[in-house]
Amino acid sequence: MLGIIQLWCKKGQFKNSNIGETIAFGLMKLSEYLDAEEYLLPHGTGLNLDSAWFKIMYVLYTDGCLLVTYHKAALQIKSLRVGNEARWLARVVELVATRNNLVTMKLLECRCWDSYQAVQLIMKSLYLLKVLVFSLHSVETFSSFGFARVALTALIQVTSSTLAVIPTIRAECARPNKAITEENEAELSEEILREALDDKIRALTFIWNYLMTSPKSKTLLTILKRDYGEELNRINSSATKADIQIFLLPQAEEDDMANCPDRLLDGVTMSVMESPVLLHKSQVTVDESTLVYLLLQKSPQCPFTRTPLHHDSFCRLPDLQQEIHAWRKEGSCSHHE
């Protein structure tokens, strides 16, 4: 079916039409069952949906057919009533990140493709991550507190795996007169491979620059600096070793855990909460981002009692949230002094 849709799926095809939203809903259901390695990587045998899936996703986004999905997902996260739209977006972003990791791993370990083809595959992942998560219409949805981790986890994974494979591709560029083929058809020069590599670095740079500079990504940037310090250090180290200057990484920020009361800590992650939520059955308090992660699963369960989670299973704690903000403000003042 995707192959048939791909044949007449062109940019502008679905504008001012309900057909695009219908197709988007179909992809929503399909993505629940897709396996990145089996269906979203090109290979000689078996069913392959890579080209069709990416092309249709691109057209649906550019024609505005995903705006309804973004809006509904944002409302679901805000109200803590996660539905199909939020789960679908999370699943698609997860597929993009997983696919990119598989491409780089296979290139490094077993050389399933030549370097040029690997660069093209990685570019697809970077572009789809850019338009689905870090773009004008989508970043506001993924900046919703709790849903931000979906975007940041994918960005960290894609950045790390991409940086890991760049030295290997550069080595290919340094080999003169080496025939590089795409699907064993077109003979390409090392200059074309180098240009493709530069395009990939520019795409990655665009995403990080957007994250660092866009006012709409403020929540994403705050959580990145607070909760992804180790990952940022690893990425910075990898970029330095590879002599890659692709972006200015944000400076990681950490809370002073030594002076933090236990009641301000997430019962699962043991980090300082931002928006506390009480789980009724277990009487444990967790951060909203932890709860949303649990709610995005197919069968949401309380991690302590294994009982199903639904909208009556928890409640926000605004008084505790004010206490957390006061504690952070006091710590910030003490730091400046």
Side-chain angles (χ1 to χ4, degrees), residues 101-157:
N101 294 346
L102 288 169
V103 170
T104 56
M105 180 185 69
K106 288 178 179 293
L107 179 64
L108 292 171
E109 294 181 357
C110 56
R111 303 300 296 242
C112 291
W113 310 287
D114 57 57
S115 295
Y116 181 80
Q117 187 179 11
V119 170
Q120 299 299 80
L121 293 172
I122 293 171
M123 279 298 295
K124 279 187 178 181
S125 298
L126 288 173
Y127 187 77
L128 201 54
L129 186 66
K130 181 177 76 173
V131 299
L132 288 178
V133 183
F134 300 98
S135 63
L136 179 64
H137 298 299
S138 57
V139 72
E140 191 169 355
T141 299
F142 283 93
S143 292
S144 301
F145 191 78
F147 210 43
R149 292 184 184 276
V150 173
L152 294 176
T153 299
L155 177 59
I156 292 292
Q157 290 179 355

Side-chain angles (χ1 to χ4, degrees), residues 65-255:
C65 302
L66 299 180
L67 294 180
V68 173
T69 300
Y70 288 134
H71 180 65
K72 288 184 177 179
L75 292 178
Q76 290 166 9
I77 299 300
K78 186 176 181 180
S79 64
L80 297 183
R81 297 192 177 206
V82 173
N84 288 332
E85 286 76 13
R87 290 193 179 95
W88 174 71
L89 285 178
R91 175 58 178 159
V92 169
V93 173
E94 179 188 76
L95 283 171
V96 172
T98 301
R99 176 187 180 278
N100 194 81
N101 294 346
L102 288 169
V103 170
T104 56
M105 180 185 69
K106 288 178 179 293
L107 179 64
L108 292 171
E109 294 181 357
C110 56
R111 303 300 296 242
C112 291
W113 310 287
D114 57 57
S115 295
Y116 181 80
Q117 187 179 11
V119 170
Q120 299 299 80
L121 293 172
I122 293 171
M123 279 298 295
K124 279 187 178 181
S125 298
L126 288 173
Y127 187 77
L128 201 54
L129 186 66
K130 181 177 76 173
V131 299
L132 288 178
V133 183
F134 300 98
S135 63
L136 179 64
H137 298 299
S138 57
V139 72
E140 191 169 355
T141 299
F142 283 93
S143 292
S144 301
F145 191 78
F147 210 43
R149 292 184 184 276
V150 173
L152 294 176
T153 299
L155 177 59
I156 292 292
Q157 290 179 355
V158 168
T159 302
S160 297
S161 60
T162 301
L163 288 176
V165 82
I166 285 179
T168 299
I169 299 174
R170 278 182 170 170
E172 292 286 338
C173 294
R175 297 178 186 176
N177 302 321
K178 176 177 174 58
I180 303 169
T181 63
E182 182 183 17
E183 298 178 358
N184 298 320
E185 292 180 1
E187 185 176 3
L188 304 168
S189 67
E190 65 273 9
E191 286 79 11
I192 295 179
L193 175 58
R194 187 177 292 110
E195 183 179 345
L197 179 62
D198 290 342
D199 286 343
K200 183 176 70 170
I201 294 176
R202 282 192 291 268
L204 194 58
T205 302
F206 175 89
I207 295 175
W208 278 95
N209 286 342
Y210 189 91
L211 177 64
M212 294 290 292
T213 59
S214 173
K216 289 188 175 183
S217 64
K218 183 178 179 180
T219 301
L220 284 165
L221 191 58
T222 298
I223 295 177
L224 179 69
K225 292 189 292 185
R226 192 188 72 204
D227 298 339
Y228 290 82
E230 293 184 7
E231 290 85 350
L232 288 174
N233 289 336
R234 284 197 294 268
I235 289 174
N236 189 45
S237 177
S238 298
T240 301
K241 289 180 181 179
D243 192 25
I244 300 170
Q245 303 297 326
I246 58 174
F247 46 75
L248 177 63
L249 284 171
Q251 189 68 34
E253 298 176 358
E254 296 182 1
D255 292 313

